[in-house]
Amino acid sequence: MTTTLGFDTYLDHLTRESRRFRDALAACDLAAPVPTCPDWNAADLLWHLTEVQGFWSRIVRQRPATPQEIEAFPERPDTLEGLLAAFDEHSVALRSALAEADPTDTAWTWSAEQTVGFTYRRQAHEALIHRLDAEITAGLEPTPLDPGLSADGVMESLDVMYGGCPPWGTSTGSSTHLRVDLTDTGHQIWVQLGRFTGTDPTTAQECDEPDLHVVAAPDSEPDAVIRGTAATLDAWLWHRVDDAEVEFSGDRGVHDRFRAIVNTPLT
């Protein structure tokens, strides 16, 4: 697992961002629409992160072979007080489960990375992005995203969320590379464009689609470059901001290919 932060740091960010998320929604109208997730209102957003943190707390503590083995989740409350109480319960449970676990321990995840450490990292970023959603929904000025966490978020988005491939397929690279420059942290992330092919064993559906992978810097110049601050690019890859503060240079066709791959909304 390629990370730029330590596991204690992920846990600190998870704690901080979860608190900001809760504070933003505690005084918000439950019916308020979520501009960054148009199908949701504030109640949906609050319950979503409650379910997510509750689910992963069970995964870390119970260590099931499959997620179907964990205990059933309680019904969704229908009041703000009930929703906040449920969030508090499951958010504390997640942080406690992580703090008591060894990040190198084996634990189920939906990724190729089958360790508790995956959950440390993924849930820090889940809380960060949904905290941004919550502040926007509540009409608050968003708290600045931490540059270090956001830099790691850009890497995770490219390497795991968009670049992770299921084991039943094959990813074929090409000679086309795009570089992502984080102007405030100094990180440079190289992406190779290619194709993913294979047959999904659960649906028998044939897949043949554009693909990307994070790679080591090649001995050549990039075909295209995307530049911006870590926070801007993290939020942009999660479709939380537009590209007004993102700089593009190089082959426009390569940019278009890259954007077509990362155009799938993430929640």
Side-chain angles (χ1 to χ4, degrees), residues 153-172:
V154 173
M155 172 62 84
E156 191 215 32
S157 294
L158 295 172
D159 192 35
V160 178
M161 307 304 289
Y162 291 115
C165 291
W168 46 262
T170 301
S171 180
T172 304

Side-chain angles (χ1 to χ4, degrees), residues 55-56 58-70 105-119:
F55 174 85
W56 288 104
R58 286 162 165 76
I59 291 292
V60 171
R61 197 171 295 281
Q62 298 174 19
R63 306 293 172 87
T66 68
Q68 288 73 30
E69 296 178 13
I70 65 174
D105 284 349
T106 299
W108 178 90
T109 77
W110 49 258
S111 170
E113 177 67 30
Q114 297 286 298
T115 68
V116 171
F118 176 89
T119 300

Side-chain angles (χ1 to χ4, degrees), residues 2 111-112 154-180 188-197 209-218 222-224 237 254 257-259 261-262:
T2 302
S111 170
V154 173
M155 172 62 84
E156 191 215 32
S157 294
L158 295 172
D159 192 35
V160 178
M161 307 304 289
Y162 291 115
C165 291
W168 46 262
T170 301
S171 180
T172 304
S174 70
S175 60
T176 302
H177 293 87
L178 177 143
R179 196 182 71 211
V180 180
Q188 292 186 329
I189 303 171
W190 286 77
V191 172
Q192 181 184 45
L193 302 184
R195 295 199 70 80
F196 174 78
T197 57
E209 57 191 36
D211 184 36
L212 63 79
H213 275 291
V214 172
V215 295
D223 298 285
L237 286 167
V254 174
R257 288 172 59 189
F258 174 81
R259 293 190 69 170
I261 296 171
V262 302

Side-chain angles (χ1 to χ4, degrees), residues 39-114:
D39 293 335
W40 291 353
N41 60 25
D44 298 326
L45 175 60
L46 180 50
W47 184 241
H48 170 75
L49 193 57
T50 300
E51 284 190 305
V52 167
Q53 295 194 351
F55 174 85
W56 288 104
S57 72
R58 286 162 165 76
I59 291 292
V60 171
R61 197 171 295 281
Q62 298 174 19
R63 306 293 172 87
T66 68
Q68 288 73 30
E69 296 178 13
I70 65 174
E71 63 191 54
F73 207 72
E75 292 186 5
R76 171 174 165 169
D78 55 8
T79 66
L80 177 60
E81 292 75 14
L83 286 167
L84 290 173
F87 177 76
D88 291 343
E89 175 187 350
H90 296 293
S91 189
V92 168
L94 173 61
R95 299 196 301 274
S96 296
L98 290 173
E100 294 167 9
D102 184 333
T104 65
D105 284 349
T106 299
W108 178 90
T109 77
W110 49 258
S111 170
E113 177 67 30
Q114 297 286 298

Side-chain angles (χ1 to χ4, degrees), residues 5-45:
L5 302 175
F7 293 111
D8 287 344
T9 302
Y10 286 128
L11 190 58
D12 288 344
H13 282 300
L14 171 60
T15 301
R16 187 176 303 112
E17 298 300 341
S18 295
R19 169 54 62 179
R20 288 171 174 165
F21 171 87
R22 186 200 191 281
D23 289 347
L25 294 180
C28 186
D29 180 357
L30 288 180
V34 181
T36 45
C37 300
D39 293 335
W40 291 353
N41 60 25
D44 298 326
L45 175 60

Side-chain angles (χ1 to χ4, degrees), residues 154 158 176-183 186-193 217-218 220-229 233 236-237 243 245-259:
V154 173
L158 295 172
T176 302
H177 293 87
L178 177 143
R179 196 182 71 211
V180 180
D181 291 353
L182 280 57
T183 57
H187 293 90
Q188 292 186 329
I189 303 171
W190 286 77
V191 172
Q192 181 184 45
L193 302 184
S220 62
E221 291 298 312
D223 298 285
V225 175
I226 294 177
R227 301 178 77 250
T229 66
L233 292 177
W236 178 72
L237 286 167
D243 57 10
E245 296 184 17
V246 180
E247 301 176 30
F248 303 90
S249 61
D251 188 326
R252 192 69 211 187
V254 174
H255 288 138
D256 292 343
R257 288 172 59 189
F258 174 81
R259 293 190 69 170

